[in-house]
Amino acid sequence: MDDLKYLKVLGEKYPTIADASYEIIKLKALAQSPCRDEYFFSDLHGQYDSFERILKSGSGNLRNKISDLFKDKLSKDEQDNLAYLIYEPNKVIDNLDDFSSDDFKAKAISLIKLISELTSPYSYEKLCDKLPESLKSLVLYMLRLTESEGNKAYLENILDVIIEENLEKDFTVSICELIQSLNVGSLHIVGDIVDRGPRPDYIIDNLMKVDKLDIQFGNHDISWIGAFLGNEVSICNLVRNAISYNNFQSLEDAYGINLRVLSNFAYRTYKDDPCERFKIRVMEDNTNSRDEADLELAAKMHKAISVMQGKLSDELYMRNPDFNMDKRLCFLRTDFSKGLYTDEYGNQHEMLDKNFPSVDPKNPTKLSPGEEQVLASLKKSFASSPRFKAHMNFLLDKGTIYKVSNGNLLFHACLPMNEDESFMEFSYKGKSYKGRELMDFFNDIIISARNLDDDDPAKREAVDFLWYMWTGPLSPMFGKSKIATFENFFIDDDNLRKEIYNPYYKLSKQEEYAKKILEEFSLDPNKGHIINGHVPVKQKDGENPISANGKTYVIDGGLSYAYQKKTGLAGYTLVVKSDRMELSEHKNFKTMEEEKGAYLPKTNVTETFEEKRLVKDSDQGLSIEKSIEELELLIAAYKKGLLKENHKSYKLF
């Protein structure tokens, strides 16, 4: 009965046997077509300029397609210029002394031919979905005209009309942006979109335009989401990270976050304190023309927000004993009247900084009245930013802790493991979770933090959990014994500052254990891959992003300038094509811009497939198979008389 109800609904879309049969034919044809390219990025960290250029170029694949298509028709310089036009159409056209009619026509014809090449795997319906409404009919007609050299005159007539209407630039820009979107089949972001770099908002703006996108949350993403959902420690951490990297524009310019109350409080509280331990990082891409006075004030702001974060973190751990974070009650372990810190082993350490005017030694985790005012101001500023709200809701809509995609396993950091090679267990309220169940547990917590009513006590617990995901040793987005923020600021002991990586990072480099992890997620251990980010691969020191006999990929190559001295390059992208996997090594945006359309990353084919991957072999293929089964049931229902065909839509001409 329920099946028949569903078939009635399906019959509204396919009212006759012929309609359903033609849809089956179309789906079967699609199932036999090659899979479109999948792109994998990780650890973007706000470095919007590099990310945008890599995305627009399809990690260099668009330049290669131009070469293949026009190798006998355009010189290398002409190919380079065409590629750069596609990447930066507004900039290129605005910088031209004269965008002549002949130049426009030549470029337009080449661009239309490139669209024809890029859309060859698309069905007619899919192609129509991709085209902007204002250009749909025109582009479809022009694509038909390019199929034959004899239609060149008709094509030029259309271009003449565009010139007569003074729409050369608008048309060219629209076509270039269309090509950018067509070049990427699906996009996977394996965590850490935000922090470090100057404009994460620009990255999210671009991601919001991508048709087929998924995101695996990184620890930095979760910190921002925590701030959005009202986690006070996460709010402080978000602001602290931005200030420490001299990255005020990621808050003030991007989201209109008001830091004036914090600035005034920091100046009053630490007026005579040089805040040496809190000097901010000044790098090539974050100078922002700040003078020395600005940098001194920024250090004071950095200290002020860091002290607030330390207090609030201790309070959060105390009200959540199941987090088992007693060892990280750093403010409660400190005797502020004597300037002494007692570590988890009972050893005392003299503090590197003993000036804490906002700390009450008898109640070190209590916010001072000034700090309460700062926190209230920040909470109000984040809550009232429509752009911040829209972007965080987008991340929550598109994001999960992990994703199983086309036989591969994607997550940001790790699947916590023990030294004895078993999966670590996290106990919470009498229940234990490990392996895939642990990932699912954390994912459910994020959903609860977003969706539960504000007056539900479980909402507060779930929102508190988002801070554990930033810093907890069993968080799959973090994967270290601790985050030593307190020790780095105040304790001169390298052993206490040491953050020990989870055994996962060692074990996942061994084929035996990589296969074990894939099997935990019901994946084929011989065909699947683990794709991670989180840990910058120091290529300059000989580290390899690929391990476990090709099973494990770590694609954090340091896209952000903050990491490039460590890694020796400016990011990786992984591309899975229908017949192979390619790993590309990138240079920074400055180099990309200097080389313009000639820029190509260093690309290595890391694996070739014995058989070309077809849509039927992908996750989409499973969906197609199910749709075909349902349509066949619909046809059977029509034939048996259980449902009646509706031929009213047919017309005679």
Side-chain angles (χ1 to χ4, degrees):
M1 190 66 174
D2 288 340
D3 289 345
L4 194 58
K5 284 182 179 179
Y6 173 74
L7 292 177
K8 284 181 179 179
V9 175
L10 189 63
E12 293 176 4
K13 187 173 183 181
Y14 306 102
T16 69
I17 290 174
D19 289 327
S21 298
Y22 284 129
E23 182 66 14
I24 288 173
I25 293 169
K26 186 178 73 175
L27 290 172
K28 287 186 174 180
L30 175 60
Q32 293 299 321
S33 63
C35 285
R36 297 199 66 219
D37 295 351
E38 292 182 80
Y39 288 78
F40 299 79
F41 289 78
S42 179
D43 296 88
L44 311 180
H45 283 299
Q47 204 64 53
Y48 73 96
D49 48 9
S50 295
F51 171 71
E52 286 183 0
R53 178 59 59 80
I54 294 169
L55 187 62
K56 288 175 180 178
S57 70
S59 194
N61 279 300
L62 185 57
R63 179 63 185 83
N64 290 328
K65 288 176 182 177
I66 289 172
S67 179
D68 291 341
L69 185 61
F70 298 109
K71 58 185 176 183
D72 298 325
K73 299 178 181 178
L74 299 177
S75 68
K76 181 182 179 304
D77 285 346
E78 289 172 328
Q79 293 174 32
D80 291 342
N81 291 336
L82 182 63
Y84 192 54
L85 173 66
I86 295 169
Y87 304 159
E88 301 291 346
N90 282 298
K91 181 185 293 186
V92 170
I93 295 172
D94 289 345
N95 287 338
L96 289 174
D97 293 332
D98 177 32
F99 194 32
S100 69
S101 297
D102 289 343
D103 191 31
F104 163 68
K105 286 183 179 181
K107 291 287 194 300
I109 291 172
S110 294
L111 293 171
I112 293 295
K113 287 180 178 178
L114 185 57
I115 291 175
S116 179
E117 176 71 16
L118 292 171
T119 58
S120 58
Y122 285 108
S123 66
Y124 178 80
E125 290 87 348
K126 185 68 176 175
L127 176 57
C128 287
D129 288 343
K130 280 281 189 181
L131 295 173
E133 197 63 37
S134 59
L135 289 174
K136 187 177 295 184
S137 297
L138 181 60
V139 171
L140 288 173
Y141 183 47
M142 295 176 80
L143 286 173
R144 284 181 55 198
L145 293 177
T146 60
E147 293 172 1
S148 170
E149 192 66 30
N151 292 326
K152 187 175 181 181
Y154 297 108
L155 187 58
E156 290 196 349
N157 286 339
I158 293 173
L159 298 174
D160 284 334
V161 174
I162 292 173
I163 293 169
E164 289 172 10
E165 297 297 326
N166 296 316
L167 291 173
E168 301 100 303
K169 179 180 177 180
D170 287 346
F171 178 81
T172 303
V173 170
S174 296
I175 291 297
C176 289
E177 290 176 347
L178 174 61
I179 291 172
Q180 293 170 17
S181 69
L182 290 171
N183 193 42
V184 176
S186 59
L187 181 61
H188 309 279
I189 306 295
V190 195
D192 280 358
I193 296 168
V194 297
D195 279 338
R196 305 289 191 263
R199 294 305 294 261
D201 59 313
Y202 288 167
I203 292 178
I204 298 175
D205 283 341
N206 272 279
L207 294 179
M208 293 172 86
K209 300 173 186 176
V210 176
D211 289 339
K212 197 170 181 183
L213 167 77
D214 55 77
I215 296 167
Q216 292 72 58
F217 295 129
N219 53 321
H220 291 265
D221 306 319
I222 284 295
S223 178
W224 279 50
I225 289 169
F228 167 62
L229 294 175
N231 186 301
E232 295 173 346
V233 199
S234 296
I235 288 173
C236 293
N237 188 56
L238 190 164
V239 174
R240 182 188 64 80
N241 261 324
I243 294 172
S244 71
Y245 279 88
N246 196 22
N247 191 9
F248 289 82
Q249 58 184 311
S250 70
L251 298 182
E252 295 174 324
D253 297 344
Y255 296 109
I257 303 303
N258 187 350
L259 300 178
R260 183 175 294 277
V261 176
L262 172 61
S263 174
N264 291 339
F265 169 78
Y267 181 77
R268 291 194 312 268
T269 306
Y270 300 102
K271 185 174 183 180
D272 299 321
D273 185 345
C275 298
E276 289 289 337
R277 302 293 305 162
F278 294 88
K279 287 187 174 180
I280 63 176
R281 301 170 175 89
V282 178
M283 296 173 291
E284 180 182 351
D285 70 328
N286 73 356
T287 54
N288 297 331
S289 302
R290 291 185 179 274
D291 59 28
E292 196 64 31
D294 288 330
L295 296 176
E296 289 178 4
L297 178 57
K300 299 180 194 303
M301 295 170 68
H302 188 198
K303 182 173 181 178
I305 199 69
S306 299
V307 170
M308 290 174 59
Q309 178 180 317
K311 291 181 177 184
L312 291 167
S313 179
D314 276 21
E315 288 285 337
L316 184 148
Y317 292 145
M318 283 193 293
R319 67 175 175 260
N320 292 280
D322 281 340
F323 289 178
N324 195 26
M325 295 291 283
D326 290 353
K327 295 177 181 178
R328 301 305 300 154
L329 297 173
C330 296
F331 269 55
L332 288 172
R333 290 178 175 274
T334 301
D335 184 340
F336 286 93
S337 63
K338 297 179 180 178
L340 294 175
Y341 170 70
T342 302
D343 66 29
E344 61 188 272
Y345 308 105
N347 302 314
Q348 286 193 332
H349 305 265
E350 187 170 357
M351 301 278 283
L352 294 173
D353 186 332
K354 298 180 182 180
N355 183 36
F356 296 96
S358 69
V359 176
D360 178 358
K362 295 179 181 179
N363 193 359
T365 63
K366 180 177 175 57
L367 295 183
S368 70
E371 288 171 332
E372 288 180 348
Q373 186 180 12
V374 169
L375 183 60
S377 171
L378 290 174
K379 289 175 72 173
K380 181 180 179 181
S381 193
F382 279 108
S384 60
S385 170
R387 186 162 164 78
F388 186 69
K389 179 180 179 180
H391 281 184
M392 293 304 102
N393 275 320
F394 173 76
L395 295 187
L396 285 163
D397 288 341
K398 293 293 183 179
T400 52
I401 297 287
Y402 73 93
K403 184 175 179 64
V404 172
S405 176
N406 295 325
N408 297 316
L409 175 60
L410 288 59
F411 53 83
H412 178 65
C414 76
L415 181 62
M417 300 182 76
N418 294 303
E419 289 286 357
D420 67 3
E421 301 146 13
S422 61
F423 296 123
M424 291 184 80
E425 290 190 16
F426 179 74
S427 296
Y428 187 69
K429 294 190 174 181
K431 293 184 179 180
S432 294
Y433 307 89
K434 63 179 180 178
R436 185 173 188 170
E437 285 186 348
L438 178 66
M439 295 279 212
D440 289 332
F441 169 74
F442 278 113
N443 207 65
D444 290 344
I445 289 290
I446 296 170
I447 294 170
S448 296
R450 183 188 196 186
N451 294 331
L452 289 177
D453 293 335
D454 290 342
D455 58 359
D456 188 333
K459 170 88 167 186
R460 175 67 178 270
E461 294 176 4
V463 171
D464 279 355
F465 235 118
L466 297 175
W467 179 248
Y468 180 89
M469 293 183 198
W470 162 262
T471 188
L474 274 84
S475 167
M477 289 156 283
F478 180 53
K480 296 181 185 179
S481 58
K482 64 183 178 184
I483 185 165
T485 306
F486 181 89
E487 290 86 347
N488 286 327
F489 283 144
F490 303 121
I491 309 300
D492 186 15
D493 188 319
D494 288 341
N495 288 325
L496 285 184
R497 292 176 177 177
K498 190 176 294 184
E499 300 173 353
I500 301 171
Y501 281 104
N502 185 272
Y504 164 85
Y505 295 98
K506 176 179 65 178
L507 295 172
S508 64
K509 293 181 179 180
Q510 302 175 47
E511 185 175 6
E512 175 186 355
Y513 301 109
K515 288 183 174 181
K516 178 180 178 179
I517 293 166
L518 290 167
E519 288 172 340
E520 175 69 8
F521 291 81
S522 303
L523 292 171
D524 186 335
N526 296 312
K527 293 183 179 180
H529 307 84
I530 300 168
I531 302 172
N532 291 165
H534 190 55
V535 181
V537 178
K538 300 173 185 175
Q539 189 203 57
K540 68 181 182 62
D541 296 335
E543 293 182 359
N544 194 328
I546 308 172
S547 59
N549 196 24
K551 294 279 121 192
T552 301
Y553 284 74
V554 179
I555 57 171
D556 180 2
L559 191 70
S560 170
Y561 283 99
Y563 293 109
Q564 289 171 14
K565 288 183 179 179
K566 293 180 181 179
T567 62
L569 67 159
Y572 290 111
T573 52
L574 175 66
V575 183
V576 179
K577 298 175 174 287
S578 61
D579 59 346
R580 64 190 184 275
M581 297 176 70
E582 295 179 346
L583 189 69
S584 296
E585 303 170 5
H586 292 280
K587 298 177 183 178
N588 62 33
F589 177 74
K590 183 178 179 181
T591 302
M592 294 182 198
E593 184 64 7
E594 287 173 351
E595 297 183 10
K596 299 183 178 179
Y599 171 77
L600 280 172
K602 179 182 177 182
T603 298
N604 300 304
V605 176
T606 59
E607 184 177 335
T608 54
F609 306 137
E610 292 181 5
E611 296 182 358
K612 181 173 285 192
R613 291 190 319 143
L614 303 179
V615 171
K616 69 181 180 66
D617 305 315
S618 68
D619 295 341
Q620 184 184 3
L622 296 175
S623 177
I624 288 173
E625 186 178 329
K626 183 179 180 182
S627 295
I628 290 173
E629 290 175 358
E630 292 168 348
L631 288 165
E632 288 174 340
L633 288 172
L634 178 63
I635 291 171
Y638 284 141
K639 289 181 176 179
K640 291 176 182 178
L642 298 175
L643 293 176
K644 192 173 182 179
E645 293 181 84
N646 178 7
H647 293 277
K648 290 182 180 179
S649 58
Y650 283 93
K651 295 180 181 179
L652 295 175
F653 295 93

